[in-house]
Amino acid sequence: FGEQVMDMKPHGDESFYIGSLHGANNDPFYRAAATVHDEMTTRITELSDANHSKAALAAQYLFERAHASNPRSNENKVKIGRDGAILPLCRLMDSANEATRFQACSALSELAFCNEANCRAIIATPGCLESIVTLLDPEHGSTQCDAALILNNCAAFCSDTCGSIVHYPGMLPALQALAVSDHTSSKNVAVGAINSLSRCPSSGVRLAMVGAGVADDTLRVVLGEEGEGDMYEARMARAAMAMANLIGHEEDTSLSALPNFAGAIVSICKIMRHALAERSWAGIFFAPYSVCLPLYNLSLSAEHRAVLVQNGMVELVADLLQGWKQGHQADNTLELALALARQLLLSPDGDEQRERAEACGLVDAVRATAEGARGESRSAVREAKGIVSDLRQRHEAVWMGQAARLGGAGGLYLLDDAVMELVVKLAGV
């Protein structure tokens, strides 16, 4: 998963995906499923009704069937997107009725959650991005939060949409203005959307965001704000993660002087713990990948790495490797975790890293990954095996150097016990 703001609207649980059902027309279960199927089809048609109050009720109905808490959410999203709901929902964002605009945005953001095809369809719909730019302006009603959430989910679950979003005229300025506005809920979602966009692997997207001043003119301002509570803490963490993704990946980059950045690093590690436990925090579900990427970028700096280690990064990497399973961006997450493990195990900065790695079983976690028994990608298995091999070579080099027959003529054999003990410790043997 990417990031999803929890919505507490009521939801139904009676939706069924008729395409997956088989049975005679006189089967009660089949008839019930057919009734719900027909109801969803009817509501999709009602989205185009001239009466926008009626269209709003139809959008709300579809939102409830697509909501992540609905048992049939995934199947319903496929059907709703496939059966033509996205175009009329996008058009409803231009309604003169604010309640209708709100319901349309809510339905679209929910359809985008965990559904790449819907994300693509939403962003590609003619007029959609123009409508979102308009709704992000506080002068056009109070749906900024809901419009920004569409961008957040599309960017989080389909990186291919990020280019269209950031290059659309007026989009980045509108998000940036919202991120530093006075409306707390809108600020939170706007910073979340910027964070989701910052994870895009496209260098063009990153350069566009940096060039627009997202890092220097917006995120620095966000990080300078004072506040308290989980939502404030989450906003600081998301701003810091976006900073790390946009400009923190260079080894000589230091972000520690930024206001509230030290506290944000503590929050980032806290968020990773919640992500690994699949628990929400501050009303947000964070995916491991959304946290692992900025952790990796930050770890490239020795200064940042030291703070991360103090806040449990070594243990978090071990937990991630031990509990890894298939899911959204799972392969990318695993490869980032292995890159962190390689640095921590083969180029540790000091005794604390070595001791933490040994205590939490990081080496064992890498060995388990090297077995490839959980469906790990070939590249991940190859990298894990490479780490294990590099560690083993250190053992072999040290012990062979201590053998009279093999290493008697070498320098290691001539060292006294005290010096050799230090060599063994530094070698991680």
Side-chain angles (χ1 to χ4, degrees), residues 66-129:
H67 195 277
S69 60
N70 189 301
R72 298 282 178 171
S73 171
N74 291 336
E75 296 95 324
N76 290 342
K77 286 176 185 177
V78 172
K79 173 181 167 44
I80 293 169
R82 183 194 61 199
D83 288 2
I86 289 176
L87 176 59
L89 281 170
C90 289
R91 288 174 176 170
L92 287 176
M93 288 195 291
D94 297 328
S95 172
N97 186 320
E98 186 162 348
T100 302
R101 297 197 298 270
F102 165 73
Q103 295 296 349
C105 289
S106 296
L108 287 168
S109 65
E110 202 61 47
L111 288 171
F113 183 62
C114 284
N115 191 300
E116 187 173 342
N118 285 347
C119 292
R120 293 177 187 275
I122 290 168
I123 299 303
T125 297
C128 173
L129 292 175

Side-chain angles (χ1 to χ4, degrees), residues 12 61 75 85 105 113 116 118 122 158-159 174 185 193 203 212 275-276 293 303 316 338 361 392:
Y61 176 93
E75 296 95 324
C105 289
F113 183 62
E116 187 173 342
N118 285 347
I122 290 168
C158 183
S159 61
S185 296
S203 60
L276 294 177
L293 178 61
E303 181 181 1
L316 289 170
L338 288 170
R392 184 179 296 118

Side-chain angles (χ1 to χ4, degrees), residues 52-288:
H52 280 196
S53 294
K54 185 176 182 179
L57 290 174
Q60 182 180 11
Y61 176 93
L62 296 174
F63 164 84
E64 292 170 353
R65 274 56 190 177
H67 195 277
S69 60
N70 189 301
R72 298 282 178 171
S73 171
N74 291 336
E75 296 95 324
N76 290 342
K77 286 176 185 177
V78 172
K79 173 181 167 44
I80 293 169
R82 183 194 61 199
D83 288 2
I86 289 176
L87 176 59
L89 281 170
C90 289
R91 288 174 176 170
L92 287 176
M93 288 195 291
D94 297 328
S95 172
N97 186 320
E98 186 162 348
T100 302
R101 297 197 298 270
F102 165 73
Q103 295 296 349
C105 289
S106 296
L108 287 168
S109 65
E110 202 61 47
L111 288 171
F113 183 62
C114 284
N115 191 300
E116 187 173 342
N118 285 347
C119 292
R120 293 177 187 275
I122 290 168
I123 299 303
T125 297
C128 173
L129 292 175
E130 180 179 356
S131 298
I132 291 176
V133 170
T134 300
L135 293 181
L136 290 176
D137 187 342
E139 293 185 1
H140 294 274
S142 59
T143 52
Q144 291 78 44
C145 181
D146 311 285
L149 191 55
I150 298 173
L151 300 178
N152 179 81
N153 288 353
C154 285
F157 295 103
C158 183
S159 61
D160 289 346
T161 65
C162 293
S164 298
I165 293 171
V166 302
H167 292 297
Y168 193 83
M171 185 66 77
L172 281 180
L175 270 179
Q176 290 171 263
L178 200 60
V180 296
S181 68
D182 295 328
H183 193 280
T184 302
S185 296
S186 298
K187 286 161 64 85
N188 292 338
V189 182
V191 172
I194 289 172
N195 184 34
S196 293
L197 288 166
S198 76
R199 294 194 297 271
C200 180
S202 167
S203 60
V205 168
R206 184 176 65 83
L207 290 173
M209 295 180 73
V210 172
V214 171
D216 290 336
D217 300 333
T218 304
L219 295 176
R220 288 180 185 271
V221 173
V222 172
L223 285 167
E225 297 172 351
E226 296 299 329
E228 58 183 14
D230 286 351
M231 296 300 293
Y232 165 78
E233 194 176 332
R235 186 168 73 250
M236 294 300 105
R238 289 164 122 181
M241 288 191 286
M243 271 288 215
N245 294 335
L246 291 175
I247 63 173
H249 57 285
E250 301 294 340
E251 292 188 18
D252 58 349
T253 298
S254 175
L255 303 176
S256 300
L258 293 174
N260 296 311
F261 195 81
I265 285 186
V266 177
S267 299
I268 291 170
C269 292
K270 178 196 294 186
I271 289 171
M272 179 59 102
R273 293 185 187 95
H274 282 79
L276 294 177
E278 298 183 352
R279 296 195 309 265
S280 68
W281 179 66
I284 307 164
F285 283 104
F286 289 89

Side-chain angles (χ1 to χ4, degrees), residues 400-424:
M400 287 175 66
Q402 287 295 288
R405 183 173 64 86
L406 297 174
L412 280 177
Y413 189 77
L414 302 176
L415 295 175
D416 63 32
D417 291 344
V419 176
M420 194 60 211
E421 182 179 349
L422 179 61
V423 170
V424 169

